[in-house]
């Protein structure tokens, strides 16, 4: 085990608005990090910076000891193949079948032949419990099923790490459990994951480390039992008492 992703002093501004303020973090291989915090605290922007969907205003992101922000060291396409992302809105291609959605990137970017890609895609759909939906269009699926297809699609690239940006927040409450179960299974298999979520039960049960963000800072971080039972920072305490009371 070693450090897979290293984030040094990341700042991100949109005009005069400072969204991320000097964030540093190491991500170990096989670690599950869950990021919690109020809306507008910079969590999703932070994830998008890690994936390079947003360019940090300053700071560095290292992956396997290569500077991701230096094209001479790491091609962005290669990096994104290894560090995949699952979005809040599933972003599936509506005119393609579920199977075609999962096969597409390995065929186009990894140059897998179609037979190989199809076999792998069916394995992954089986894994997320949707092999029987391979030949339907995404619009015929529930939100929870579409999100599980999106996870299968991300896994088809054989990533070393997955970033999840509030993967259950667009779902009806009764559909959340199936998606979280797929993510729990991935964690058990040793997938490195960074998850932005409002699902406190998931954070408590699955995370190796919980990070609480507010106002663009990492306010507090630690093991789930420490963060949830004995948070040191008043901001963390206030946030948790509010969200845990709701639940």
């Amino acid at each position: 085990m070693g450090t897979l992703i290293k984030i040094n002093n990341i700042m991100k501004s949109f005009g005069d608005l400072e969204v991320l303020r000097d964030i540093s973090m190491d991500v170990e291989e096989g670690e599950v990090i869950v990021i919690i915090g109020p809306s507008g605290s910079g969590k999703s922007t932070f994830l998008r910076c890690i994936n390079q969907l947003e360019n940090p205003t300053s700071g560095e992101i290292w992956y396997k000891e290569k500077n991701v922000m230096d094209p001479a060291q790491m091609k962005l396409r290669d990096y994104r193949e290894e560090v995949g992302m699952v979005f809040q809105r599933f972003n599936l291609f509506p005119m393609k079948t579920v199977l075609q959605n999962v096969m597409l990137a390995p065929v186009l970017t990894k140059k897998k032949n179609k037979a190989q890609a199809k076999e792998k895609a069916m394995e992954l759909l089986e894994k997320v419990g949707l092999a029987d939906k391979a030949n339907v269009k995404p619009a015929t699926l529930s939100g929870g099923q579409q999100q599980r297809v999106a996870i299968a699609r991300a896994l088809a690239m054989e990533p070393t790490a997955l970033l999840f940006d509030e993967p259950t927040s667009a779902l009806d409450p009764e559909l959340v459990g199936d998606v979280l179960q797929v993510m729990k299974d991935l964690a058990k298999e040793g997938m490195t994951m960074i998850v932005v979520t409002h699902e406190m039960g998931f954070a408590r049960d699955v995370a190796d480390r919980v990070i609480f963000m507010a106002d663009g800072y990492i306010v507090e971080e630690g093991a789930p039992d420490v963060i949830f039972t004995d948070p040191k920072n008043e901001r963390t305490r206030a946030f948790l008492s509010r969200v845990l009371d709701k639940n």
Side-chain angles (χ1 to χ4, degrees):
M1 292 290 188
T3 302
L4 189 66
I5 301 170
K6 193 171 187 63
I7 294 147
N8 293 335
N9 310 110
I10 287 293
M11 316 268 285
K12 178 63 181 176
S13 299
F14 296 98
D16 293 334
L17 180 65
E18 269 192 311
V19 180
L20 298 176
R21 311 170 194 229
D22 196 24
I23 291 188
S24 296
M25 182 172 92
D26 288 358
V27 183
E28 303 301 312
E29 282 181 58
E31 188 176 23
V32 178
I33 296 174
V34 176
I35 303 176
I36 61 173
S39 295
S41 57
K43 306 182 301 292
S44 291
T45 301
F46 180 43
L47 221 54
R48 290 172 71 83
C49 283
I50 296 173
N51 192 244
Q52 293 288 280
L53 289 166
E54 298 284 356
N55 290 317
T57 308
S58 63
E60 296 174 333
I61 297 168
W62 295 76
Y63 172 74
K64 292 184 175 176
E65 301 183 352
K66 291 181 180 174
N67 186 345
V68 174
M69 294 159 70
D70 177 358
Q73 290 191 49
M74 186 103 209
K75 288 196 177 76
L76 188 53
R77 194 180 86 171
D78 294 344
Y79 173 62
R80 286 202 184 130
E81 281 184 21
E82 297 202 25
V83 179
M85 188 145 172
V86 176
F87 298 88
Q88 186 175 348
R89 299 273 170 194
F90 331 113
N91 294 0
L92 298 175
F93 296 107
M95 301 314 292
K96 294 189 178 298
T97 66
V98 163
L99 180 62
Q100 288 166 338
N101 265 279
V102 179
M103 285 173 60
L104 188 66
V107 170
L108 285 183
T109 63
K110 288 203 153 185
K111 306 302 181 202
K112 290 257 174 94
N113 72 52
K114 286 196 173 165
Q116 274 180 318
K118 183 176 181 180
E119 186 180 346
K120 181 69 177 173
M122 286 305 299
E123 269 175 42
L124 291 169
L125 288 172
E126 185 77 45
K127 184 188 188 82
V128 300
L130 290 170
D132 60 327
K133 303 291 187 187
N135 296 313
V136 305
K137 298 279 175 63
T140 67
L141 303 179
S142 71
Q145 289 171 325
Q146 289 188 56
Q147 191 60 290
R148 280 147 59 201
V149 173
I151 292 171
R153 180 179 61 179
L155 290 171
M157 294 302 287
E158 299 169 350
T160 54
L162 276 179
L163 313 176
F164 291 85
D165 186 12
E166 301 197 10
T168 59
S169 65
L171 304 180
D172 293 332
E174 69 271 18
L175 303 175
V176 167
D178 290 340
V179 173
L180 292 181
Q181 188 56 54
V182 170
M183 293 167 65
K184 285 176 184 175
D185 292 344
L186 290 174
K188 279 187 198 141
E189 290 164 15
M191 174 64 74
T192 308
M193 295 159 66
I194 306 175
V195 183
V196 169
T197 186
H198 294 293
E199 300 291 336
M200 296 299 138
F202 177 85
R204 196 190 288 249
D205 295 345
V206 181
D208 296 302
R209 185 162 33 130
V210 174
I211 289 176
F212 172 67
M213 280 182 69
D215 303 323
Y217 293 101
I218 291 178
V219 175
E220 188 167 356
E221 62 180 292
D225 53 346
V226 175
I227 295 292
F228 284 102
T229 59
D230 188 24
K232 304 291 180 276
N233 190 282
E234 179 52 42
R235 286 293 305 270
T236 317
R237 285 199 291 274
F239 172 77
L240 286 173
S241 69
R242 214 166 46 243
V243 297
L244 294 174
D245 283 351
K246 276 187 195 167
N247 295 340

